[in-house]
Amino acid sequence: NAKKIGNSTKQSLGILISIRNTKATKVQLVIEDQVPISSDKDIVVSLEESSNAKHEVAIGKLRWTKVIVENSTETVQFKYDVKYTSDKKINF
């Protein structure tokens, strides 16, 4: 959802990752994803929620280490905001 704030626009985005273990034993895995990084000073990306992921800010990497018990599903999610001047065109 986009909100106009003065000369800026703020867009909130979120990703939900669902992992299902269909095996009869528990598994441990590492899940990685990335928050966008802006090299433009007029575009600011801020991580709002990360389900306790380890966040490497410099490269935007998010990492979760999960043990998923047999026949179960785990989810992780992250949410971030992108704030930019309204005259910019941003592709999501």
Side-chain angles (χ1 to χ4, degrees):
N1 59 8
K3 294 180 184 175
K4 190 148 172 77
I5 306 165
N7 291 333
S8 296
T9 301
K10 181 178 175 182
Q11 183 86 28
S12 298
L13 300 145
I15 305 291
L16 177 69
I17 302 169
S18 182
I19 306 97
R20 185 172 169 210
N21 179 7
T22 58
K23 296 190 179 273
T25 60
K26 67 181 179 181
V27 294
Q28 179 174 352
L29 25 122
V30 175
I31 304 150
E32 293 183 343
D33 209 318
Q34 183 175 8
V35 175
I37 299 172
S38 174
S39 59
D40 186 330
K41 65 179 176 58
D42 293 329
I43 302 171
V44 178
V45 178
S46 57
L47 181 63
E48 298 301 317
E49 201 271 307
S50 65
S51 297
N52 297 317
K54 291 182 181 176
H55 183 207
E56 294 181 45
V57 178
I59 59 173
K61 184 189 287 187
L62 298 170
R63 177 182 288 190
W64 298 266
T65 302
K66 291 283 188 182
V67 174
I68 305 173
V69 297
E70 59 276 358
N71 298 311
S72 69
T73 302
E74 286 275 334
T75 58
V76 295
Q77 68 177 352
F78 62 99
K79 297 176 183 176
Y80 60 94
D81 292 337
V82 180
K83 186 177 178 184
Y84 51 95
T85 55
S86 295
D87 62 335
K88 294 233 183 244
K89 298 284 185 205
I90 306 292
N91 295 320
F92 293 99

